[in-house]
Amino acid sequence: MFPAHAHPMRERLGTGKVNASKLHFPLRNPKLSRKSRANKNPTHWGLLADAGAVNPGLPQGWTEMKDPITHQSYYYNADNSVATWTIPQPDMISTIKECKDNDIHTSYTSCDESTSTRSLTYFYSALCKKGKALPPTVVNLPCNITCNAGQYLPLGKPTCSPCEPGTYSIGGGEKYMNWESFPPGFSTSCKFQLEADNDQTCNGWVLNGTYIHSGELRGKRLVDSTLTMKVELIRSGSVTFEYKVDAERRWDGLYFAVDGETVMQMDSYEFKYTQFTWPLAAGLHTLQWVIGMQYNTETCSVCPKGHYSPPGSAECLKCPVNTYADKSGTASCLPCNPVGGHDSAKYSLPGAVQCKPAKPCVETDILVTYSECNNGKRTKHESYVEPKICSGGVQPKPDKEVECSPCDRGEYRQGAVCNYCPAGKYNPNPTRSGIDVCKSCPKGFVALKLRYYDQQFTPAMFKRYLERGEMQTGCANGFCAQNGWRALGSSLDTGVGNGDVADIWLSVRVVLETTGQVFFNYRLPVDLRVASHSLLMSIVCDGLEGKLRWISEREYSWMEGDANSQAAKEDRAVIDSIVVTGVQDGGAIECVACPPGFVSDEQASICAPCPPGQFAAGGGSSCAPCTAGTFTATPGSSSCRLCGHGTFSHIGAASCDVSPTNCRYTVDDETIYDLGELARVGKPMWGPVVDSNNSMNYYINICSQSHANGTCAGRGGDAARSFACQESTLFDDFNDNAFAVSRLHVLQSDQVPDCNDSLGDTMAFYTLPQRPRNGLMVSIQGGEKCWNGGTRSLNITMYCDPEAGPGFPSLIPGMPVEQKKCGYALQWRSQYACPLCTNEDMRTLPGECSVTGKRPVHMVWKEPKVCHGGLDLPEVIYEDCQAVLLDKSKVTMIIVSGVSVFGILLTGLIYLYFRNRKIYREYSVLKEQNEAEIELDRMAGFSLDEDH
């Protein structure tokens, strides 16, 4: 197949575009200019238009021509009507095949916006020779034609026409429902991402007649199975397809991509067929997993074998039971047993391509029903189960009168009616007697009501309950011959003639008054060698109301190879009985002891749960309060739980004394911790603390279990009441290739934990070893069950750090988070991990005395300050500077000491006085003598002068 508009010369040669509904286009850039496209890949031709002839030195019969639009050379052989962009070789003509009529294709040109018209052109789809002249281009065709369902647009016509019998059209598009072969434009591929796996087998998507699937990928890892379709739309439209998928959550799933962009993100599970639609602009598109798109079809599609359609149909219909269509495109189906035929013992199921010999009828082909009971009698009626697919053998018996059946256990008879025993009473045996057969239950026991739904298995009762809405049935996927389950008198079944893929569901509405159970007996009479058939049961509850749902899931020839599809269609699922206990409207057949945590009075039908703060170890008639230091937060507790270390509770407590306003731990009189400031009530929890090695996030809410559920959601999506939780961060990160439509990454995920696991609803406090004032240990306990049988817990080492503010929880450096199985550990540096401030954290700082005789005395924090909150610093006080009080003994000692010192000083002074006095006298004598001598010397000196 070849691209449309590979070069502009094709239009001049009468070629035009390729019809997108017929060809498989390779991926290309639709934005290339006309000239650049002309250089790409010239491929196929019609007859030549006018152009200048040059270069006569070519092989005989060839002429070089010039395209008047691109001005590029091409080469034309008029004798054989062949044109090519490449220089022809002498033997080129002999290697080219001759043109055939089916080589002529058609295509519409793009719409001319100025006139809202387009043209229909004809061209040869491959290089060939001796082709006949192409029909002339049909011009001036309106662009805005939209055909309705059951119509098509004939080539070159301006109006739509109705589909012929045996064909169909969805109108304005193409619908693919026959997957016996890949339609034009589809391809598939399969690729392993790891080179080491390339020796394994992988074939891509697999055809299966009425559907297509991604192939057998079980046991393979990192494999991409891709379905691709390439198409050109002449105007904007959309693509719509239905799919279902069952893959490993978060790892595998189905993608859908348009032109390399993923427009449907990974979907890992869809039980029912889900529809997806994506808009498409006009032009070329590469689609992954496409089974429908919209543009006017040039012909109606032919109905496959086993189907028919009247004129103007938008879809094909399956042939009814006991008819067939052995050819495609039929307007009606043929009967298996035509009137006047020689063979009247054949049958067929819906969608049959041939009839089969009917088997002899057996007992299970007979439907037995009864009339209403009247005066102890009723009429038994037998008929064939419809649709009848047997012949001869067992036949229905004539009607006859029989006795009414006894009332079921839990009931008593009142005239022609069976009633349930009153609440709190039971009847263990079937009976025809009155209300006296119902007996009362003692205290601690209840008459648990139950209901037998087998009574609704008769066609009349089943229809009545369907009309009331108490039961519902239908077909979720595929073709269901009876449009749901059918009543057979003593059982329900899914009927015969269902499609190769059929999910048939049954829903029963129940109203409970207490916790109950459901019991049912079923059969799957199927040959597992040719079929995959399962019966799924689910329960959806909304308070005390709920729905029980059974789904018969059939998938034949899905990946197990060829199977006998006709035999598989005769397979069915059967439910023989349904019993539900704990219902509001029902009868009891025995007295049942209340379970631990529940109690009851005499003649009760339900056990009442013990309220929070109370428990009942073995059931009975009364609950007991929890003792001091224990608690129970949930109703119906069989025992009380111990409060965490450092916390307390009073008698009958529903919780321990931990709250944002009371979150203290007392070590001693001078060491008290208060973590209440770290509580986040109604706000996101602290976190996430990211453990990338184990793909986990941790969230913490100290002192409070009330938080925003965006950080720690419970199983139902509500905020989990927990002090901490862990959340798995595993996610699918394989969307790096938009063309990988179906990704089935088969990985080992047995150890992947559930998301949002609670780590505990109880707090405990412990001192740090040998550092009672440097922080504390907060232990969160009582989390969800661990795989090893214990419960999850989290220990947080709180370090006192006055400079950290509130701080933030973090990993412990060099240590794993999970230090033991389901026992986790983190750390947290915070100012609130410091003890409350007391007098021991203060010291006095006296000031200087003032002129008034007073001095200030300040109280300041000891450095460094390692406390928060608690006591504030007291105000400054003033005291007298001389305000020093001494006792008598001290005064006496001071006086004695003073007298002694005074005596010693006085004695010393007297001694020094007399000693100095003597010295002074001696000094005075010597002075006088010295003065006399000096005077004598002076006088003597004076006399000598006079002698001269």
Side-chain angles (χ1 to χ4, degrees), residues 210-230:
T210 57
Y211 61 88
I212 186 171
H213 65 83
S214 57
E216 172 57 274
L217 301 177
R218 290 175 293 186
K220 297 179 174 63
R221 61 176 181 174
L222 297 176
V223 56
D224 299 338
S225 181
T226 306
L227 176 69
T228 303
M229 181 185 186
K230 302 192 177 185

Side-chain angles (χ1 to χ4, degrees), residues 17-46:
K17 297 195 303 182
V18 178
N19 187 333
S21 65
K22 301 298 183 184
L23 295 183
H24 182 169
F25 296 103
L27 181 63
R28 61 168 192 162
N29 185 354
K31 296 183 179 180
L32 291 174
S33 66
R34 302 186 71 186
K35 184 174 181 180
S36 61
R37 290 201 302 266
N39 295 329
K40 285 289 181 180
N41 184 22
T43 52
H44 51 276
W45 315 96

Side-chain angles (χ1 to χ4, degrees), residues 625-892:
C626 292
T627 59
T630 65
F631 76 101
T632 173
T634 57
S637 296
S638 60
S639 62
C640 299
R641 297 167 54 191
L642 289 172
C643 288
H645 182 265
T647 66
F648 186 73
S649 69
H650 298 285
I651 296 176
S655 64
C656 300
D657 58 342
V658 175
S659 67
T661 58
N662 183 25
C663 195
R664 294 191 173 192
Y665 172 50
T666 301
V667 179
D668 52 45
D669 292 341
E670 300 299 332
T671 307
I672 301 174
Y673 291 93
D674 188 349
L675 302 178
E677 293 294 333
L678 296 178
R680 287 188 166 180
V681 181
K683 300 178 182 179
M685 304 172 76
W686 293 96
V689 180
V690 179
D691 180 12
S692 57
N693 291 333
N694 296 292
S695 301
M696 282 290 174
N697 285 343
Y698 293 86
Y699 296 92
I700 303 167
N701 197 13
I702 297 291
C703 307
S704 176
Q705 298 186 63
S706 298
H707 59 88
N709 67 333
T711 50
C712 194
R715 299 295 184 187
D718 299 326
R721 290 194 58 82
S722 176
F723 288 115
C725 72
Q726 63 179 175
E727 175 189 52
S728 172
T729 60
L730 290 174
F731 61 95
D732 186 273
D733 192 25
F734 304 118
N735 192 21
D736 56 342
N737 183 349
F739 293 102
V741 178
S742 177
R743 294 185 174 276
L744 295 178
H745 306 280
V746 184
L747 303 179
Q748 296 297 327
S749 61
D750 295 339
Q751 302 303 320
V752 176
D754 292 332
C755 292
N756 296 328
D757 284 325
S758 170
L759 298 182
D761 60 357
T762 304
M763 283 184 60
F765 304 99
Y766 301 91
T767 57
L768 296 183
Q770 300 178 357
R771 295 188 296 174
R773 290 187 59 82
N774 289 350
L776 71 162
M777 174 77 75
V778 174
S779 181
I780 298 174
Q781 304 166 351
E784 293 191 23
K785 288 186 178 180
C786 182
W787 60 269
N788 63 357
T791 58
R792 302 178 189 273
S793 63
L794 172 65
N795 290 335
I796 309 170
T797 304
M798 309 286 297
Y799 291 108
C800 173
D801 188 345
E803 304 298 326
F808 200 87
S810 64
L811 304 180
I812 301 176
M815 298 291 290
V817 176
E818 189 172 8
Q819 297 187 358
K820 62 179 183 178
K821 296 300 183 183
C822 295
Y824 310 94
L826 300 173
Q827 69 175 11
W828 195 338
R829 295 186 176 275
S830 172
Q831 72 179 60
Y832 299 112
C834 299
L836 295 177
C837 295
T838 65
N839 289 327
E840 291 297 316
D841 298 296
M842 308 175 193
R843 65 181 180 88
T844 59
L845 182 63
E848 297 293 333
C849 287
S850 66
V851 295
T852 61
K854 300 286 186 179
R855 67 174 180 179
V857 179
H858 301 269
M859 297 296 292
V860 296
W861 299 115
K862 294 178 180 179
E863 296 294 339
K865 181 185 177 184
V866 288
C867 65
H868 83 94
L871 295 179
D872 296 327
L873 291 173
E875 296 181 357
V876 178
I877 61 173
Y878 293 87
E879 63 180 8
D880 294 334
C881 295
Q882 303 298 325
V884 179
L885 298 179
L886 301 175
D887 56 25
K888 293 182 179 181
S889 61
K890 290 183 179 180
V891 172
T892 302

Side-chain angles (χ1 to χ4, degrees), residues 202-269:
C202 182
N203 299 318
W205 290 73
V206 178
L207 298 163
N208 204 43
T210 57
Y211 61 88
I212 186 171
H213 65 83
S214 57
E216 172 57 274
L217 301 177
R218 290 175 293 186
K220 297 179 174 63
R221 61 176 181 174
L222 297 176
V223 56
D224 299 338
S225 181
T226 306
L227 176 69
T228 303
M229 181 185 186
K230 302 192 177 185
V231 68
E232 183 178 16
L233 271 65
I234 58 176
R235 64 170 181 268
S236 60
S238 65
V239 54
T240 299
F241 60 89
E242 293 182 342
Y243 71 96
K244 70 174 181 176
V245 59
D246 187 2
E248 187 175 6
R249 312 307 188 267
R250 302 195 301 265
W251 296 101
D252 313 331
L254 176 68
Y255 296 87
F256 175 62
V258 175
D259 299 331
E261 178 183 357
T262 300
V263 297
M264 187 185 83
Q265 299 300 323
M266 185 192 73
D267 193 346
S268 295
Y269 182 77

Side-chain angles (χ1 to χ4, degrees), residues 183-210:
F186 283 86
S187 64
T188 184
S189 63
C190 192
K191 180 181 178 181
F192 289 96
Q193 296 187 21
L194 300 181
E195 185 176 353
D197 296 332
N198 287 335
D199 57 343
Q200 300 185 53
T201 302
C202 182
N203 299 318
W205 290 73
V206 178
L207 298 163
N208 204 43
T210 57

Side-chain angles (χ1 to χ4, degrees), residues 499-577:
D500 291 342
V501 176
D503 298 331
I504 310 168
W505 57 270
L506 170 70
S507 177
V508 177
R509 183 172 64 88
V510 296
V511 179
L512 303 177
E513 64 177 7
T514 186
T515 303
Q517 295 176 295
V518 56
F519 304 89
F520 62 95
N521 295 327
Y522 71 98
R523 291 176 284 134
L524 294 175
V526 58
D527 185 352
L528 295 178
R529 294 170 299 175
V530 299
S532 174
H533 194 173
S534 57
L535 183 64
L536 309 178
M537 195 272 177
S538 63
I539 302 175
V540 179
C541 292
D542 182 10
L544 293 177
E545 291 194 19
K547 286 189 176 181
L548 312 178
R549 174 167 289 188
W550 291 265
I551 302 176
S552 168
E553 186 179 70
R554 300 159 42 89
E555 292 186 355
Y556 296 93
S557 302
W558 180 257
M559 283 181 261
E560 288 78 5
D562 294 335
N564 187 337
S565 179
Q566 183 74 3
K569 290 180 180 179
E570 298 181 25
D571 172 49
R572 59 197 178 107
V574 181
I575 295 180
D576 294 310
S577 67

